[in-house]
Amino acid sequence: MAMERLNRALELELEGLQREGRAKPPERVITACHPPQGDIGPRYSLAGQSQLFLRMNSNSYLSLSSHPQLIDSADRATRRCGVGPGAVRFIDGTYSQHVALEERIARFVGKEAAKIFNSAYTANCGLALSIASPGTCWVGDQLNHNSIIRAMRIAGVPSGNKAIYRHNDMADLRRCLDGIGGEVTRVVIVFDGIFSMRGDHAPVADIASLAALHHERFADGVITVVDDSHGIGAYGATGRGTSEFCGVLPDIIVGTFGKAFGVNGGFIAGSRTLIEAVRQKADTYIYTNPLSVADCAAASTAIDLCDGEEGRRRLANLAERTLQFRKGLDDLGLESIPGPHPVVPLLVRDTARTRALVARLFAAGILVVGLTYPVVPRGDETIRFQINAAHTEADIRLVLDVLARELAALPATPNEKEQT
Ligand SMILES: Cc1ncc(COP(=O)(O)O)c(C=O)c1O
């Protein structure tokens, strides 16, 4: 009874989202994971579906989430310390597994120290809370992830202290930096390492050069922050991410354990002083229980694996399968955004066609993500494919064969009809 009017108001809002095409579809439920068999990679069962599915929409780039060593680490940590921490970090909720993971990720990304969070999302919010000041100006890429944009809002950054540059456009970044007034004491340039809808990467070396050029103009300098959630573990010769690929390490690195490493949780890595400031000031770190010891132990094992021979093998297969898929799209005459990252967008450039193709792939047992307006601008409608290290040559061939068959069977769009 008490909820009646609120429910009505929410229903109107939800109807609005549906009308605008911004509502998320109902969530599919995975009920079982089936390990690879011969030349067939992992498959998944979904509630209400009798066939098995090939996931081409998972961020688990190294395919580690069912790795026996990760499961074993999680299991042993749980048996020793239990399933939950019982309190926040500063009230004796800190376990040896939390500390070990912080040391391990800091070493992996080449920074003095790190703090772990429940997710990269909350890490970005915590970072903004830790380094925001009335004199800070934030400069970000137009296509930055929602968590960075939300972090600015949570940290109460006024609109006058923000500048957005066109995606990966260094002339525009230069224009933004040139325009920052003398009253500003600190500048933070923040950008995704890999842009998750496109698979392209930030030009980290160019951004760092521009930051260096302006550094002396501001009391606290110009700081570079990369959120490399899709790069760490998946990109660069040893999986150290976009900075390894570009050969330049930004001042602060944010990342996740929930994508290439196959577990969960996020982190901030940087100087010891920064990390102590995070511990003291980041509400999304201070006032919430930390990750379970199971997550931490599994994530540490994932980094160890990534950093060893097995990691190199997985990265090599990831690169090969990505190349195979990209070449297959080329051979079919399909449009993508070039680059070696395992996020491979297929630019369909038509809403009805994108939706129809996603549905046909689903019917053929392949899970992908379709991006249509207003998530992407009209004309940029895309299907995002993500390659994982456990995909086999046969899996990728299957996806390409299904794509070729279903594209040929799709009715022509009105535009195409006009052309013929
Ligand atoms: C750039 C970026 N940052 C943060 C996140 C969120 O990561 P997490 O699931 O660890 O919160 C994502 C995931 O989609 C991302 O792409």
Side-chain angles (χ1 to χ4, degrees):
M1 200 60 171
M3 287 289 289
E4 227 168 68
R5 276 176 289 156
L6 176 59
N7 283 344
R8 185 64 207 130
L10 292 175
E11 276 161 16
L12 288 176
E13 260 183 61
L14 294 172
E15 283 162 20
L17 289 177
Q18 289 286 359
R19 249 194 332 275
E20 293 158 20
R22 290 195 292 136
K24 306 266 180 286
E27 287 163 18
R28 298 189 284 245
V29 179
I30 294 179
T31 53
C33 309
H34 308 275
Q37 282 191 337
D39 66 348
I40 305 292
R43 293 290 189 271
Y44 297 84
S45 297
L46 296 183
Q49 301 288 330
S50 53
Q51 68 174 327
L52 300 182
F53 287 86
L54 166 55
R55 278 192 81 178
M56 298 299 291
N57 61 357
S58 165
N59 302 313
S60 194
Y61 299 113
L62 292 178
S63 298
L64 289 174
S65 70
S66 294
H67 194 290
Q69 284 183 40
L70 268 70
I71 293 172
D72 195 42
S73 295
D75 205 33
R76 274 187 285 122
T78 304
R79 286 181 197 289
R80 253 181 78 195
C81 299
V83 292
V88 299
R89 291 286 296 267
F90 78 97
I91 306 184
D92 290 330
T94 296
Y95 286 66
S96 58
Q97 291 86 353
H98 296 119
V99 179
L101 178 56
E102 286 169 348
E103 288 171 0
R104 188 67 187 93
I105 191 64
R107 192 151 43 89
F108 184 72
V109 298
K111 291 292 180 190
E112 283 176 7
K115 271 287 149 213
I116 55 171
F117 287 72
N118 288 309
S119 64
Y121 202 108
T122 52
N124 275 324
C125 296
L127 179 66
L129 289 166
S130 304
I131 61 176
S133 72
T136 302
C137 183
W138 302 79
V139 185
D141 189 287
Q142 164 195 18
L143 295 188
N144 275 349
H145 186 255
N146 173 282
S147 56
I148 298 176
I149 296 158
R150 179 61 61 194
M152 305 290 102
R153 294 187 184 142
I154 286 175
V157 178
S159 56
N161 277 12
K162 266 187 288 191
I164 308 292
Y165 58 93
R166 282 193 298 274
H167 175 55
N168 277 352
D169 182 335
M170 293 300 98
D172 206 32
L173 172 57
R174 182 188 286 267
R175 180 194 60 78
C176 289
L177 292 171
D178 285 344
I180 299 174
E183 70 291 352
V184 165
T185 53
R186 180 183 304 174
V187 176
V188 181
I189 307 177
V190 56
F191 47 94
D192 288 18
I194 302 292
F195 292 85
S196 59
M197 301 298 171
R198 300 168 48 88
D200 57 348
H201 67 261
V204 181
D206 296 341
I207 294 172
S209 300
L210 281 173
L213 214 60
H214 287 265
H215 194 67
E216 295 309 322
R217 282 179 53 214
F218 305 98
D220 300 341
V222 181
I223 305 304
T224 51
V225 179
V226 64
D227 174 347
D228 207 13
S229 288
H230 286 268
I232 299 283
Y235 211 50
T238 64
R240 279 167 170 75
T242 309
S243 39
E244 181 178 30
F245 187 87
C246 296
V248 171
L249 198 57
D251 301 302
I252 301 174
I253 300 183
V254 174
T256 183
F257 303 111
K259 300 193 193 296
F261 293 136
V263 191
N264 238 334
F267 68 88
I268 300 171
S271 68
R272 265 185 227 298
T273 307
L274 169 82
I275 296 308
E276 179 57 10
V278 166
R279 195 175 77 81
Q280 299 292 346
K281 296 176 67 182
D283 290 359
T284 53
Y285 171 84
I286 300 170
Y287 299 108
T288 180
N289 273 11
L291 290 173
S292 70
V293 293
D295 280 335
C296 294
S300 286
T301 301
I303 301 170
D304 286 345
L305 283 174
C306 175
D307 211 6
E309 205 186 306
E310 178 160 354
R312 302 290 176 278
R313 266 203 319 277
R314 284 177 184 252
L315 277 169
N317 191 50
L318 185 62
E320 265 177 48
R321 297 288 71 80
T322 302
L323 199 64
Q324 180 192 351
F325 187 64
R326 285 184 177 277
K327 182 168 181 315
L329 291 186
D330 275 354
D331 292 347
L332 290 172
L334 299 173
E335 184 186 356
S336 186
I337 296 170
H341 193 270
V343 164
V344 186
L346 166 61
L347 291 158
V348 182
R349 301 197 181 281
D350 179 90
T351 297
R353 217 169 155 74
T354 299
R355 292 197 179 133
L357 196 51
V358 169
R360 282 167 178 260
L361 287 164
F362 181 82
I366 297 166
L367 302 177
V368 293
V369 177
L371 306 165
T372 54
Y373 178 83
V375 176
V376 291
R378 281 190 213 285
D380 282 355
E381 293 84 355
T382 298
I383 297 179
R384 182 176 72 170
F385 293 84
Q386 288 170 288
I387 315 297
N388 288 185
H391 286 148
T392 64
E393 195 179 348
D395 289 339
I396 301 298
R397 219 177 318 118
L398 171 76
V399 178
L400 290 166
D401 288 348
V402 170
L403 256 180
R405 186 187 73 213
E406 297 303 333
L407 274 166
L410 270 184
T413 60
N415 283 349
E416 285 171 329
K417 274 190 204 145
E418 279 164 23
Q419 286 158 12
T420 53

